[in-house]
Amino acid sequence: MLTNSEDVGMISILKIATARLTSADYATLKSAQARCLARGRSAMLVDLSAVRRVARSGLAALVEFQSEAPQGLAVGFFGAREKVERDIARCALASLLTLFRSRKEALVAPTFRSRQLAGVKAVILVAGAGSRMAPLSAQTPKPLLDFLGRPVLDHVMRHLAGFGIRDFILNPGHLAPQFHAQVRSSPLRSVQFLNEGAWQDGAWQAAPLGSASTLRHLHHNHSAFDQDFLVFCGDAVTDIDVAALLEQHRASGADVTIAAQKVPPDQVQKYGIIDADRAGRICRFVEKPNPSQAPSRLASSGIYVMSPRALAQVAPHPDQDIAKDLLPRLLATGAHLQVYDAPFNWVDMGCPKDYFAGVSRGLRGLIPGVMPLGHLVRRHVWAADGAEVSPRAVIVGPAFIGADAVIEAGAKLEGPVVVGAGARVCGRSLVRRSVISAQTRVGAGTWVDDMIVAPDWAVDHRFADSRVQPLTPLEGIEVEAPNSAGTLVSLPFIDQKISGSAR
């Protein structure tokens, strides 16, 4: 039996070339397995598409090969022809085999999906002040805003971890100490920081480098990238198939691949639009075009796969941006930029209006992979640990009640509603289509309609699309308890270099 193999992340895919599989092929399989382990792979998939017949002894060999795999090595099989599949099904041993119909089906199975991109680094950009999200971002960085019980950034990192990504680099700038306090390394992930700012007179002063300058600094000063790497924004939740994105990038040989979203025709003027040929190679970018003149409906999502060679085109000074500076320069020098336009969900937290829309979608189950943290206490009503919901409160979901929040008897909630951690909604009050920030008290008799509120400000989310709004407090809204969520935490920083998470 002849074999050849390829690697997909930490998975070795072995193709066997034999017409009839027998026990004599067991030794060849074990030899291939040894090579797989020697290369540090943690999973092995065997392609059976070339096999036309399987002897009983051959089936026994497959079962033994899987059952005796070293601890920590996942083994599966895929691609069996119909006749071979029938032969396998007729044998009682078939139930012991992990068998998939196709390579695609095997790779999306949880055991193998989580090993595909091990070793790939992900840069998550978090430095910005998030001025369009004001006032929500005044005391909390956008990536750390609560999104149904978890920070937005946590949703991003969990999604990437589902593909086996364990190496993360963050660039804290605005309110940077909060990232050090909340985002840490663990046995399952490595988190490194490039801190963009400095301590001055006992206070942290942000000094963002610019997204492209950040990447250049990481590569040229710290040799951070030795292979293709991912760039994500820390303030957007997505369910993009990261493995398919990276696979297309590698197959095309591109310097940069940009994940794009198709936007409605009447919204193209809000975005930088991508013009690409039939093969997906990008020809130009058109910034906020008139709908009648837009070359396409493909808008960049801010998700990239980059080759380290692309960073040679970043100018050696600060304030270089990926979209405004690096990508146009790459096009001008003839670099290969590719678009990835397979459908995926993308919830951008650009402004309070977007934030409420994203929360509403999450509560309705419209963002795959995103669920409110906690348990169902009523139909379409989730409550996190420690939350107290009176049986005499009226709640029409969808709604999420944060940790240690209290909904008193006589209170009425009409969804979509989020009540933040430690908040309290008193009796005879009404909260409708709104978000109550953490540690906020909605006093008895208070009505909150279409608002995002905190003790010292309130905004109507329907119109909070970066336009200036009065931020006067809403009558009846007070502080429920001392709020430490937005307080800067004094933690040691490693001056302008990559370091492990602060202790």
Side-chain angles (χ1 to χ4, degrees):
M1 176 175 65
L2 299 176
T3 65
N4 59 65
S5 65
E6 63 172 302
D7 290 339
V8 177
M10 299 299 287
I11 305 169
S12 179
I13 299 180
L14 177 73
K15 184 165 185 177
I16 57 179
T18 184
R20 185 170 183 267
L21 192 67
T22 69
S23 59
D25 298 314
Y26 178 75
T28 306
L29 288 171
K30 290 297 288 184
S31 177
Q33 186 183 85
R35 294 194 298 272
C36 164
L37 291 169
R39 295 198 308 275
R41 307 303 91 173
S42 63
M44 190 173 187
L45 285 169
V46 181
D47 183 353
L48 300 175
S49 60
V51 178
R52 297 178 180 275
R53 291 183 59 201
V54 178
R56 288 295 178 93
S57 64
L59 180 56
L62 294 182
V63 172
E64 185 176 356
F65 174 70
Q66 178 174 320
S67 62
E68 292 189 355
Q71 186 174 6
L73 180 70
V75 174
F77 307 89
F78 71 90
R81 298 170 181 236
E82 284 189 27
K83 183 181 183 306
V84 172
E85 200 172 272
R86 288 196 301 269
D87 290 343
I88 293 174
R90 282 196 291 265
C91 180
L93 293 175
S95 61
L96 301 177
L97 289 178
T98 302
L99 190 63
F100 303 96
R101 289 188 177 277
S102 66
R103 169 177 168 146
K104 183 177 181 180
E105 181 182 288
L107 288 175
V108 299
T111 298
F112 297 97
R113 181 176 183 265
S114 63
R115 289 169 162 86
Q116 287 189 54
L117 302 185
V120 175
K121 292 180 180 177
V123 178
I124 305 181
L125 301 172
V126 299
S131 56
R132 294 176 59 230
M133 186 62 87
L136 281 72
S137 55
Q139 291 188 317
T140 304
K142 270 204 302 181
L144 295 183
L145 288 173
D146 182 84
F147 192 79
L148 305 181
R150 293 187 175 95
V152 175
L153 176 62
D154 192 48
H155 289 281
V156 177
M157 296 178 77
R158 282 170 176 267
H159 180 65
L160 291 168
F163 291 90
I165 295 172
R166 298 180 54 180
D167 299 308
F168 298 94
I169 302 174
L170 277 61
N171 63 327
H174 175 61
L175 301 178
Q178 293 188 35
F179 289 97
H180 283 253
Q182 297 188 44
V183 186
R184 297 179 181 273
S185 293
S186 74
L188 297 178
R189 73 180 186 191
S190 167
V191 181
Q192 297 179 305
F193 295 111
L194 173 67
N195 302 308
E196 300 190 8
W199 289 101
Q200 294 182 7
D201 300 323
W204 174 257
Q205 300 295 324
L209 296 176
S211 56
S213 296
T214 292
L215 300 179
R216 184 185 189 281
H217 185 97
L218 286 167
H219 190 50
H220 289 270
N221 292 53
H222 303 287
S223 302
F225 310 118
D226 56 1
Q227 61 175 311
D228 296 333
F229 61 95
L230 295 160
V231 180
F232 273 63
C233 294
D235 58 359
V237 176
T238 180
D239 66 348
I240 188 170
D241 187 335
V242 187
L245 169 66
L246 203 68
E247 184 177 10
Q248 179 187 297
H249 171 81
R250 289 168 173 167
S252 70
D255 296 286
V256 178
T257 295
I258 305 172
Q261 279 274 291
K262 280 189 177 178
V263 298
D266 60 348
Q267 293 187 23
V268 294
Q269 70 272 18
K270 299 179 182 179
Y271 301 95
I273 298 299
I274 295 170
D275 185 12
D277 63 21
R278 291 184 178 181
R281 183 160 184 160
I282 297 172
C283 309
R284 59 175 176 147
F285 300 99
V286 183
E287 187 65 25
K288 298 179 180 179
N290 185 290
S292 62
Q293 299 175 333
S296 77
R297 293 164 44 205
L298 295 175
S300 172
S301 66
I303 297 172
Y304 308 97
V305 186
M306 292 191 180
S307 164
R309 63 180 176 270
L311 301 181
Q313 297 299 325
V314 182
H317 53 75
D319 302 322
Q320 296 295 293
D321 181 77
I322 293 173
K324 294 179 181 177
D325 301 301
L326 175 57
L327 298 181
R329 180 171 295 188
L330 285 169
L331 273 184
T333 59
H336 181 177
L337 273 59
Q338 190 77 13
V339 67
Y340 176 85
D341 61 355
F344 61 93
N345 285 283
W346 178 63
V347 183
D348 181 30
M349 309 291 172
C351 60
K353 183 177 181 179
D354 295 337
Y355 175 72
F356 185 80
V359 164
S360 298
R361 288 180 63 186
L363 282 173
R364 292 187 171 98
L366 299 178
I367 308 175
V370 173
M371 286 289 292
L373 181 66
H375 50 278
L376 276 170
V377 293
R378 299 185 190 179
R379 180 178 170 83
H380 303 311
V381 178
W382 288 265
D385 290 345
E388 298 179 19
V389 181
S390 170
R392 291 189 291 152
V394 178
I395 306 179
V396 181
F400 173 69
I401 317 300
D404 302 317
V406 177
I407 311 298
E408 294 184 356
K412 185 174 182 179
L413 279 60
E414 295 181 7
V417 164
V418 170
V419 178
R424 180 181 293 269
V425 181
C426 297
R428 296 185 295 106
S429 59
L430 171 65
V431 178
R432 184 162 47 199
R433 298 183 301 274
S434 296
V435 174
I436 309 301
S437 298
Q439 307 295 340
T440 299
R441 181 188 186 90
V442 180
T446 302
W447 284 31
V448 182
D449 274 307
D450 295 303
M451 304 291 285
I452 303 176
V453 299
D456 52 354
W457 53 260
V459 293
D460 188 326
H461 59 72
R462 295 172 298 176
F463 310 107
D465 54 359
S466 306
R467 289 177 287 187
V468 177
Q469 291 195 58
L471 300 178
T472 54
L474 191 67
E475 187 175 352
I477 304 297
E478 302 172 343
V479 175
E480 165 63 12
N483 182 6
S484 61
T487 303
L488 289 179
V489 181
S490 296
L491 292 171
F493 269 47
I494 306 300
D495 184 31
Q496 202 68 8
K497 69 180 181 181
I498 302 177
S499 69
S501 58
R503 297 180 181 223

